[in-house]
Amino acid sequence: MKWKFKYALENKWGQEIAILFFSFILFTLNDWILIRSWKGFSNGMLYFCFLYAHAQLNRFFLLPFLLKKHRPFLYFILSVGLLLLFSVVLYEVSIEFIYKNCFLYKSSYQKSYQFQISTLTGTLICILGTIQILDHYRDQKKKTKKALLHNRIELNALKSQFNPHFLFNTMNTLYGISLQYPERTSEMIMEVSQLMRYQMEHGDKEFVSLENEIAFISSYIQLEKERVGYRCSIDFNYECDQEGRYEIAPMLLITFIENAFKHGTATIEKCFVTIQIQVREGKLYMEVSNSVPQKKKEVASTKIGLKNTVERLKIVYPKKHNLKIMQNEQTYTVNLELELNRA
């Protein structure tokens, strides 16, 4: 039943059949018990065909003046003219043919132009109103599908830029570790390979479990501790009120953490990176802070990662996130509030 109703809403021919059927039932509902013969039934069908033809002529020939050419006064004049013309024709046909031995005729007030005008007007409003509602529904659905397709294409483009960006930053981290601790290079390569594996297996998914994403972030932070932990104070804290209950878009938070290490540790002086992630009642609160060096070394940066992440937030979490970035002479801070999906 649900499928049939959806079909009538979305299929043009299904819509036409549904409108014809229900409008016929609506305008003859009170008269079915008065049917005496097949002749009476056929006369009733003929009467309804006049009503339906009037509405369809208005729809296909007059309504475009209103909807496409934006000429409401002309549409009103033509509609009134067509209504009067059909009321005269329907009156004559009804008196001379339809009402003779027909179940539709019950009282003398039906033998008037006013009755025919009222019936034609009611049918017109009913049919045109229903058609416009269904057309609006189909148009809105097409626009929604088009917007979703556009967002998906844009999101895939952002991901294709994001993947090599993360690889570039991770390779730089590995290079820094190999210079400081060459004997641990092979071990670090294995850890980096695990990060790459996670990116390859989960990067194209729409959502992943929050626990997997946090484990990925923890591994990355541990890698950075190996590189700059001897000269940088690194603090990471994660709390969740309900483990295993939430999902998040993959590789979404890592950009802010990458930037904190890239820019906050680009100095030989004492520095810090602080990462706080809390999940309460379905919302994730993340604060990432890093020191701003007084004598900062030159850092190669395309700025693609942060820009793409901001765009992803707009696409994946429209009206479900709040991002604030603040900076002063000593500290660079990112505050992100995100409404998570339930697993």
Side-chain angles (χ1 to χ4, degrees):
M1 184 65 183
K2 182 179 179 181
W3 183 87
K4 292 182 179 179
F5 181 71
K6 183 178 179 181
Y7 175 83
L9 286 176
E10 299 179 2
N11 182 271
K12 186 175 181 179
W13 286 107
Q15 169 188 304
E16 296 297 332
I17 294 172
I19 291 174
L20 177 63
F21 178 76
F22 286 113
S23 57
F24 176 74
I25 295 297
L26 178 65
F27 283 92
T28 58
L29 186 63
N30 293 329
D31 305 307
W32 287 112
I33 60 175
L34 301 176
I35 294 178
R36 295 290 182 268
S37 65
W38 284 105
K39 181 180 179 180
F41 177 77
S42 61
N43 287 346
M45 289 289 295
L46 178 63
Y47 186 84
F48 175 76
C49 286
F50 273 94
L51 301 178
Y52 190 75
H54 168 254
Q56 293 298 335
L57 285 173
N58 189 296
R59 171 191 177 186
F60 288 108
F61 294 99
L62 303 187
L63 195 60
F65 286 101
L66 175 65
L67 299 181
K68 295 181 180 180
K69 297 185 179 181
H70 306 290
R71 301 177 68 178
F73 182 73
L74 178 61
Y75 169 73
F76 176 77
I77 295 297
L78 293 176
S79 295
V80 171
L82 185 65
L83 178 65
L84 293 177
L85 175 63
F86 260 80
S87 65
V88 172
V89 174
L90 189 58
Y91 174 82
E92 296 297 330
V93 172
S94 299
I95 296 298
E96 298 298 326
F97 181 71
I98 295 179
Y99 284 164
K100 291 183 177 181
N101 301 318
C102 178
F103 68 96
L104 287 174
Y105 177 62
K106 298 190 294 291
S107 59
S108 59
Y109 78 90
Q110 292 179 264
K111 289 185 175 181
S112 65
Y113 289 107
Q114 292 89 341
F115 176 81
Q116 306 305 334
I117 291 175
S118 300
T119 305
L120 287 166
T121 302
T123 311
L124 177 66
I125 294 174
C126 175
I127 294 177
L128 286 191
T130 305
I131 288 172
Q132 290 306 304
I133 290 173
L134 293 176
D135 284 345
H136 178 73
Y137 169 82
R138 285 206 307 268
D139 290 342
Q140 288 300 115
K141 188 159 188 178
K142 287 180 180 178
K143 290 179 181 178
T144 301
K145 287 183 178 179
K146 185 177 180 181
L148 288 175
L149 179 61
H150 175 75
N151 286 347
R152 187 173 296 277
I153 293 173
E154 186 176 354
L155 190 57
N156 288 337
L158 292 175
K159 286 183 176 180
S160 67
Q161 293 178 338
F162 180 77
N163 291 344
H165 177 268
F166 176 76
L167 178 61
F168 173 78
N169 287 338
T170 306
M171 289 300 104
N172 275 347
T173 299
L174 181 59
Y175 173 73
I177 294 175
S178 66
L179 293 179
Q180 294 291 331
Y181 309 102
E183 70 281 0
R184 299 196 59 194
T185 301
S186 59
E187 180 184 344
M188 292 300 102
I189 290 176
M190 288 300 297
E191 292 189 17
V192 170
S193 69
Q194 294 299 318
L195 295 177
M196 294 299 102
R197 181 183 296 275
Y198 177 86
Q199 183 197 32
M200 292 180 61
E201 293 180 353
H202 297 83
D204 291 335
K205 294 181 179 179
E206 187 175 6
F207 296 101
V208 297
S209 70
L210 180 62
E211 286 68 32
N212 287 344
E213 190 71 8
I214 294 299
F216 168 75
I217 291 173
S218 299
S219 297
Y220 179 82
I221 294 173
Q222 187 60 39
L223 194 65
E224 289 289 357
K225 285 183 178 180
E226 296 286 348
R227 182 174 69 92
V228 296
Y230 70 97
R231 62 179 175 84
C232 180
S233 175
I234 301 173
D235 183 24
F236 171 56
N237 182 54
Y238 167 70
E239 297 178 4
C240 181
D241 58 354
Q242 292 180 320
E243 294 286 347
R245 296 293 301 274
Y246 304 110
E247 292 182 333
I248 190 171
M251 310 289 292
L252 187 66
L253 307 179
I254 191 66
T255 301
F256 303 110
I257 298 171
E258 278 186 296
N259 282 348
F261 282 106
K262 183 196 301 183
H263 299 287
T265 63
T267 179
I268 59 174
E269 61 193 46
K270 195 68 175 178
C271 55
F272 71 87
V273 174
T274 302
I275 304 160
Q276 303 286 338
I277 301 177
Q278 292 185 338
V279 179
R280 300 190 304 270
E281 297 179 356
K283 287 190 176 182
L284 180 144
Y285 303 89
M286 183 178 77
E287 180 177 286
V288 181
S289 299
N290 63 267
S291 54
V292 177
Q294 297 298 318
K295 298 179 181 179
K296 185 178 179 181
K297 295 189 296 184
E298 189 67 25
V299 177
S301 177
T302 61
K303 297 183 180 180
I304 291 177
L306 183 59
K307 180 181 178 181
N308 284 0
T309 301
V310 172
E311 292 299 319
R312 284 186 69 197
L313 283 169
K314 292 178 181 178
I315 294 173
V316 182
Y317 295 98
K319 299 181 181 180
K320 293 183 179 181
H321 76 278
N322 185 24
L323 176 65
K324 293 182 180 179
I325 299 177
M326 299 163 286
Q327 182 177 4
N328 55 42
E329 294 182 357
Q330 290 80 31
T331 308
Y332 184 91
T333 303
V334 174
N335 281 311
L336 175 64
E337 180 181 333
L338 194 66
E339 186 176 334
L340 298 173
N341 295 337
R342 295 281 181 175

PDB file of all heavy atoms in Angstrom, residues 13-35:
ATOM      1  N   TRP A  13       1.931   9.473 -14.678  1.00  0.00           N
ATOM      2  CA  TRP A  13       0.714   8.788 -15.077  1.00  0.00           C
ATOM      3  C   TRP A  13      -0.033   8.243 -13.865  1.00  0.00           C
ATOM      4  O   TRP A  13      -1.273   8.244 -13.828  1.00  0.00           O
ATOM      5  CB  TRP A  13       1.048   7.660 -16.052  1.00  0.00           C
ATOM      6  CG  TRP A  13       1.408   8.169 -17.407  1.00  0.00           C
ATOM      7  CD1 TRP A  13       2.645   8.200 -17.985  1.00  0.00           C
ATOM      8  CD2 TRP A  13       0.520   8.776 -18.357  1.00  0.00           C
ATOM      9  NE1 TRP A  13       2.600   8.769 -19.228  1.00  0.00           N
ATOM     10  CE2 TRP A  13       1.290   9.127 -19.499  1.00  0.00           C
ATOM     11  CE3 TRP A  13      -0.839   9.032 -18.370  1.00  0.00           C
ATOM     12  CZ2 TRP A  13       0.746   9.738 -20.616  1.00  0.00           C
ATOM     13  CZ3 TRP A  13      -1.393   9.652 -19.496  1.00  0.00           C
ATOM     14  CH2 TRP A  13      -0.614   9.988 -20.594  1.00  0.00           C
ATOM     15  N   GLY A  14       0.700   7.775 -12.883  1.00  0.00           N
ATOM     16  CA  GLY A  14       0.053   7.337 -11.653  1.00  0.00           C
ATOM     17  C   GLY A  14      -0.690   8.473 -10.984  1.00  0.00           C
ATOM     18  O   GLY A  14      -1.787   8.298 -10.434  1.00  0.00           O
ATOM     19  N   GLN A  15      -0.103   9.665 -11.049  1.00  0.00           N
ATOM     20  CA  GLN A  15      -0.756  10.846 -10.483  1.00  0.00           C
ATOM     21  C   GLN A  15      -2.045  11.168 -11.223  1.00  0.00           C
ATOM     22  O   GLN A  15      -3.083  11.445 -10.600  1.00  0.00           O
ATOM     23  CB  GLN A  15       0.208  12.038 -10.565  1.00  0.00           C
ATOM     24  CG  GLN A  15      -0.455  13.375 -10.251  1.00  0.00           C
ATOM     25  CD  GLN A  15       0.462  14.539 -10.531  1.00  0.00           C
ATOM     26  OE1 GLN A  15       1.554  14.601 -10.013  1.00  0.00           O
ATOM     27  NE2 GLN A  15       0.027  15.455 -11.370  1.00  0.00           N
ATOM     28  N   GLU A  16      -2.003  11.140 -12.558  1.00  0.00           N
ATOM     29  CA  GLU A  16      -3.184  11.471 -13.355  1.00  0.00           C
ATOM     30  C   GLU A  16      -4.334  10.498 -13.089  1.00  0.00           C
ATOM     31  O   GLU A  16      -5.482  10.902 -12.950  1.00  0.00           O
ATOM     32  CB  GLU A  16      -2.821  11.454 -14.848  1.00  0.00           C
ATOM     33  CG  GLU A  16      -1.800  12.497 -15.261  1.00  0.00           C
ATOM     34  CD  GLU A  16      -2.296  13.911 -15.045  1.00  0.00           C
ATOM     35  OE1 GLU A  16      -3.524  14.141 -15.095  1.00  0.00           O
ATOM     36  OE2 GLU A  16      -1.455  14.792 -14.809  1.00  0.00           O
ATOM     37  N   ILE A  17      -3.996   9.216 -13.019  1.00  0.00           N
ATOM     38  CA  ILE A  17      -5.029   8.205 -12.756  1.00  0.00           C
ATOM     39  C   ILE A  17      -5.631   8.391 -11.375  1.00  0.00           C
ATOM     40  O   ILE A  17      -6.849   8.295 -11.177  1.00  0.00           O
ATOM     41  CB  ILE A  17      -4.432   6.792 -12.915  1.00  0.00           C
ATOM     42  CG1 ILE A  17      -4.038   6.543 -14.381  1.00  0.00           C
ATOM     43  CG2 ILE A  17      -5.429   5.728 -12.445  1.00  0.00           C
ATOM     44  CD1 ILE A  17      -3.281   5.255 -14.606  1.00  0.00           C
ATOM     45  N   ALA A  18      -4.749   8.670 -10.377  1.00  0.00           N
ATOM     46  CA  ALA A  18      -5.229   8.855  -9.006  1.00  0.00           C
ATOM     47  C   ALA A  18      -6.140  10.070  -8.901  1.00  0.00           C
ATOM     48  O   ALA A  18      -7.194  10.029  -8.245  1.00  0.00           O
ATOM     49  CB  ALA A  18      -4.043   8.979  -8.056  1.00  0.00           C
ATOM     50  N   ILE A  19      -5.766  11.175  -9.563  1.00  0.00           N
ATOM     51  CA  ILE A  19      -6.580  12.394  -9.520  1.00  0.00           C
ATOM     52  C   ILE A  19      -7.928  12.161 -10.206  1.00  0.00           C
ATOM     53  O   ILE A  19      -8.980  12.580  -9.703  1.00  0.00           O
ATOM     54  CB  ILE A  19      -5.828  13.562 -10.187  1.00  0.00           C
ATOM     55  CG1 ILE A  19      -4.618  13.962  -9.331  1.00  0.00           C
ATOM     56  CG2 ILE A  19      -6.751  14.758 -10.385  1.00  0.00           C
ATOM     57  CD1 ILE A  19      -3.751  15.004  -9.970  1.00  0.00           C
ATOM     58  N   LEU A  20      -7.894  11.490 -11.347  1.00  0.00           N
ATOM     59  CA  LEU A  20      -9.153  11.194 -12.065  1.00  0.00           C
ATOM     60  C   LEU A  20     -10.064  10.343 -11.204  1.00  0.00           C
ATOM     61  O   LEU A  20     -11.270  10.619 -11.087  1.00  0.00           O
ATOM     62  CB  LEU A  20      -8.823  10.480 -13.377  1.00  0.00           C
ATOM     63  CG  LEU A  20     -10.029  10.022 -14.217  1.00  0.00           C
ATOM     64  CD1 LEU A  20     -10.845  11.217 -14.652  1.00  0.00           C
ATOM     65  CD2 LEU A  20      -9.552   9.212 -15.421  1.00  0.00           C
ATOM     66  N   PHE A  21      -9.515   9.318 -10.583  1.00  0.00           N
ATOM     67  CA  PHE A  21     -10.328   8.392  -9.789  1.00  0.00           C
ATOM     68  C   PHE A  21     -10.921   9.081  -8.560  1.00  0.00           C
ATOM     69  O   PHE A  21     -12.139   9.018  -8.320  1.00  0.00           O
ATOM     70  CB  PHE A  21      -9.469   7.193  -9.367  1.00  0.00           C
ATOM     71  CG  PHE A  21     -10.189   6.204  -8.505  1.00  0.00           C
ATOM     72  CD1 PHE A  21     -11.115   5.313  -9.043  1.00  0.00           C
ATOM     73  CD2 PHE A  21      -9.946   6.163  -7.134  1.00  0.00           C
ATOM     74  CE1 PHE A  21     -11.783   4.411  -8.236  1.00  0.00           C
ATOM     75  CE2 PHE A  21     -10.620   5.262  -6.326  1.00  0.00           C
ATOM     76  CZ  PHE A  21     -11.542   4.386  -6.878  1.00  0.00           C
ATOM     77  N   PHE A  22     -10.081   9.767  -7.788  1.00  0.00           N
ATOM     78  CA  PHE A  22     -10.551  10.361  -6.540  1.00  0.00           C
ATOM     79  C   PHE A  22     -11.473  11.559  -6.773  1.00  0.00           C
ATOM     80  O   PHE A  22     -12.406  11.787  -5.997  1.00  0.00           O
ATOM     81  CB  PHE A  22      -9.366  10.760  -5.661  1.00  0.00           C
ATOM     82  CG  PHE A  22      -8.670   9.593  -5.022  1.00  0.00           C
ATOM     83  CD1 PHE A  22      -7.383   9.256  -5.385  1.00  0.00           C
ATOM     84  CD2 PHE A  22      -9.308   8.813  -4.072  1.00  0.00           C
ATOM     85  CE1 PHE A  22      -6.740   8.168  -4.808  1.00  0.00           C
ATOM     86  CE2 PHE A  22      -8.685   7.729  -3.493  1.00  0.00           C
ATOM     87  CZ  PHE A  22      -7.394   7.407  -3.868  1.00  0.00           C
ATOM     88  N   SER A  23     -11.219  12.335  -7.838  1.00  0.00           N
ATOM     89  CA  SER A  23     -12.126  13.453  -8.119  1.00  0.00           C
ATOM     90  C   SER A  23     -13.489  12.939  -8.580  1.00  0.00           C
ATOM     91  O   SER A  23     -14.530  13.508  -8.246  1.00  0.00           O
ATOM     92  CB  SER A  23     -11.515  14.374  -9.179  1.00  0.00           C
ATOM     93  OG  SER A  23     -11.221  13.655 -10.359  1.00  0.00           O
ATOM     94  N   PHE A  24     -13.504  11.833  -9.321  1.00  0.00           N
ATOM     95  CA  PHE A  24     -14.777  11.232  -9.733  1.00  0.00           C
ATOM     96  C   PHE A  24     -15.562  10.752  -8.526  1.00  0.00           C
ATOM     97  O   PHE A  24     -16.774  11.000  -8.407  1.00  0.00           O
ATOM     98  CB  PHE A  24     -14.506  10.067 -10.695  1.00  0.00           C
ATOM     99  CG  PHE A  24     -15.755   9.338 -11.096  1.00  0.00           C
ATOM    100  CD1 PHE A  24     -16.649   9.900 -11.989  1.00  0.00           C
ATOM    101  CD2 PHE A  24     -16.043   8.083 -10.565  1.00  0.00           C
ATOM    102  CE1 PHE A  24     -17.806   9.229 -12.354  1.00  0.00           C
ATOM    103  CE2 PHE A  24     -17.195   7.410 -10.928  1.00  0.00           C
ATOM    104  CZ  PHE A  24     -18.086   7.988 -11.827  1.00  0.00           C
ATOM    105  N   ILE A  25     -14.867  10.074  -7.597  1.00  0.00           N
ATOM    106  CA  ILE A  25     -15.530   9.610  -6.378  1.00  0.00           C
ATOM    107  C   ILE A  25     -16.044  10.794  -5.570  1.00  0.00           C
ATOM    108  O   ILE A  25     -17.177  10.798  -5.059  1.00  0.00           O
ATOM    109  CB  ILE A  25     -14.562   8.771  -5.521  1.00  0.00           C
ATOM    110  CG1 ILE A  25     -14.172   7.474  -6.256  1.00  0.00           C
ATOM    111  CG2 ILE A  25     -15.176   8.444  -4.165  1.00  0.00           C
ATOM    112  CD1 ILE A  25     -15.332   6.549  -6.515  1.00  0.00           C
ATOM    113  N   LEU A  26     -15.240  11.841  -5.471  1.00  0.00           N
ATOM    114  CA  LEU A  26     -15.600  13.002  -4.646  1.00  0.00           C
ATOM    115  C   LEU A  26     -16.863  13.690  -5.155  1.00  0.00           C
ATOM    116  O   LEU A  26     -17.758  14.039  -4.371  1.00  0.00           O
ATOM    117  CB  LEU A  26     -14.431  13.985  -4.608  1.00  0.00           C
ATOM    118  CG  LEU A  26     -14.652  15.277  -3.821  1.00  0.00           C
ATOM    119  CD1 LEU A  26     -14.841  14.971  -2.338  1.00  0.00           C
ATOM    120  CD2 LEU A  26     -13.481  16.227  -4.016  1.00  0.00           C
ATOM    121  N   PHE A  27     -16.966  13.881  -6.465  1.00  0.00           N
ATOM    122  CA  PHE A  27     -18.079  14.658  -7.008  1.00  0.00           C
ATOM    123  C   PHE A  27     -19.303  13.818  -7.366  1.00  0.00           C
ATOM    124  O   PHE A  27     -20.296  14.343  -7.860  1.00  0.00           O
ATOM    125  CB  PHE A  27     -17.604  15.441  -8.243  1.00  0.00           C
ATOM    126  CG  PHE A  27     -16.802  16.643  -7.883  1.00  0.00           C
ATOM    127  CD1 PHE A  27     -15.424  16.563  -7.794  1.00  0.00           C
ATOM    128  CD2 PHE A  27     -17.407  17.849  -7.584  1.00  0.00           C
ATOM    129  CE1 PHE A  27     -14.670  17.661  -7.440  1.00  0.00           C
ATOM    130  CE2 PHE A  27     -16.666  18.950  -7.222  1.00  0.00           C
ATOM    131  CZ  PHE A  27     -15.288  18.865  -7.148  1.00  0.00           C
ATOM    132  N   THR A  28     -19.233  12.531  -7.105  1.00  0.00           N
ATOM    133  CA  THR A  28     -20.416  11.690  -7.319  1.00  0.00           C
ATOM    134  C   THR A  28     -20.751  10.858  -6.091  1.00  0.00           C
ATOM    135  O   THR A  28     -21.620   9.994  -6.152  1.00  0.00           O
ATOM    136  CB  THR A  28     -20.188  10.753  -8.526  1.00  0.00           C
ATOM    137  OG1 THR A  28     -19.029   9.947  -8.290  1.00  0.00           O
ATOM    138  CG2 THR A  28     -19.997  11.544  -9.804  1.00  0.00           C
ATOM    139  N   LEU A  29     -20.070  11.122  -4.968  1.00  0.00           N
ATOM    140  CA  LEU A  29     -20.195  10.282  -3.781  1.00  0.00           C
ATOM    141  C   LEU A  29     -21.623  10.237  -3.255  1.00  0.00           C
ATOM    142  O   LEU A  29     -22.119   9.174  -2.858  1.00  0.00           O
ATOM    143  CB  LEU A  29     -19.242  10.781  -2.693  1.00  0.00           C
ATOM    144  CG  LEU A  29     -19.155   9.921  -1.431  1.00  0.00           C
ATOM    145  CD1 LEU A  29     -18.604   8.537  -1.782  1.00  0.00           C
ATOM    146  CD2 LEU A  29     -18.266  10.587  -0.386  1.00  0.00           C
ATOM    147  N   ASN A  30     -22.307  11.362  -3.255  1.00  0.00           N
ATOM    148  CA  ASN A  30     -23.650  11.419  -2.671  1.00  0.00           C
ATOM    149  C   ASN A  30     -24.731  10.837  -3.588  1.00  0.00           C
ATOM    150  O   ASN A  30     -25.895  10.754  -3.191  1.00  0.00           O
ATOM    151  CB  ASN A  30     -24.010  12.877  -2.351  1.00  0.00           C
ATOM    152  CG  ASN A  30     -23.139  13.442  -1.249  1.00  0.00           C
ATOM    153  OD1 ASN A  30     -22.717  12.707  -0.367  1.00  0.00           O
ATOM    154  ND2 ASN A  30     -22.857  14.735  -1.319  1.00  0.00           N
ATOM    155  N   ASP A  31     -24.351  10.472  -4.803  1.00  0.00           N
ATOM    156  CA  ASP A  31     -25.346  10.049  -5.781  1.00  0.00           C
ATOM    157  C   ASP A  31     -25.325   8.565  -6.101  1.00  0.00           C
ATOM    158  O   ASP A  31     -26.173   8.080  -6.850  1.00  0.00           O
ATOM    159  CB  ASP A  31     -25.150  10.829  -7.097  1.00  0.00           C
ATOM    160  CG  ASP A  31     -25.186  12.327  -6.861  1.00  0.00           C
ATOM    161  OD1 ASP A  31     -26.168  12.796  -6.257  1.00  0.00           O
ATOM    162  OD2 ASP A  31     -24.235  13.012  -7.255  1.00  0.00           O
ATOM    163  N   TRP A  32     -24.356   7.814  -5.557  1.00  0.00           N
ATOM    164  CA  TRP A  32     -24.257   6.408  -5.934  1.00  0.00           C
ATOM    165  C   TRP A  32     -25.505   5.599  -5.535  1.00  0.00           C
ATOM    166  O   TRP A  32     -25.931   4.695  -6.247  1.00  0.00           O
ATOM    167  CB  TRP A  32     -23.026   5.761  -5.297  1.00  0.00           C
ATOM    168  CG  TRP A  32     -21.739   6.204  -5.918  1.00  0.00           C
ATOM    169  CD1 TRP A  32     -20.775   6.963  -5.360  1.00  0.00           C
ATOM    170  CD2 TRP A  32     -21.285   5.935  -7.248  1.00  0.00           C
ATOM    171  NE1 TRP A  32     -19.746   7.190  -6.230  1.00  0.00           N
ATOM    172  CE2 TRP A  32     -20.029   6.555  -7.406  1.00  0.00           C
ATOM    173  CE3 TRP A  32     -21.816   5.224  -8.332  1.00  0.00           C
ATOM    174  CZ2 TRP A  32     -19.301   6.498  -8.576  1.00  0.00           C
ATOM    175  CZ3 TRP A  32     -21.098   5.157  -9.506  1.00  0.00           C
ATOM    176  CH2 TRP A  32     -19.849   5.795  -9.621  1.00  0.00           C
ATOM    177  N   ILE A  33     -26.078   5.949  -4.418  1.00  0.00           N
ATOM    178  CA  ILE A  33     -27.228   5.156  -3.955  1.00  0.00           C
ATOM    179  C   ILE A  33     -28.473   5.390  -4.812  1.00  0.00           C
ATOM    180  O   ILE A  33     -29.466   4.668  -4.696  1.00  0.00           O
ATOM    181  CB  ILE A  33     -27.566   5.485  -2.488  1.00  0.00           C
ATOM    182  CG1 ILE A  33     -27.914   6.965  -2.335  1.00  0.00           C
ATOM    183  CG2 ILE A  33     -26.417   5.109  -1.566  1.00  0.00           C
ATOM    184  CD1 ILE A  33     -28.379   7.331  -0.931  1.00  0.00           C
ATOM    185  N   LEU A  34     -28.431   6.402  -5.704  1.00  0.00           N
ATOM    186  CA  LEU A  34     -29.592   6.729  -6.533  1.00  0.00           C
ATOM    187  C   LEU A  34     -29.485   6.138  -7.934  1.00  0.00           C
ATOM    188  O   LEU A  34     -30.325   6.403  -8.795  1.00  0.00           O
ATOM    189  CB  LEU A  34     -29.768   8.250  -6.640  1.00  0.00           C
ATOM    190  CG  LEU A  34     -29.970   8.974  -5.302  1.00  0.00           C
ATOM    191  CD1 LEU A  34     -30.036  10.481  -5.527  1.00  0.00           C
ATOM    192  CD2 LEU A  34     -31.241   8.482  -4.619  1.00  0.00           C
ATOM    193  N   ILE A  35     -28.439   5.344  -8.190  1.00  0.00           N
ATOM    194  CA  ILE A  35     -28.267   4.742  -9.511  1.00  0.00           C
ATOM    195  C   ILE A  35     -29.423   3.760  -9.777  1.00  0.00           C
ATOM    196  O   ILE A  35     -29.705   2.902  -8.953  1.00  0.00           O
ATOM    197  CB  ILE A  35     -26.923   4.013  -9.623  1.00  0.00           C
ATOM    198  CG1 ILE A  35     -25.774   5.035  -9.537  1.00  0.00           C
ATOM    199  CG2 ILE A  35     -26.828   3.221 -10.922  1.00  0.00           C
ATOM    200  CD1 ILE A  35     -24.409   4.408  -9.584  1.00  0.00           C
TER     201      ILE A  35
END
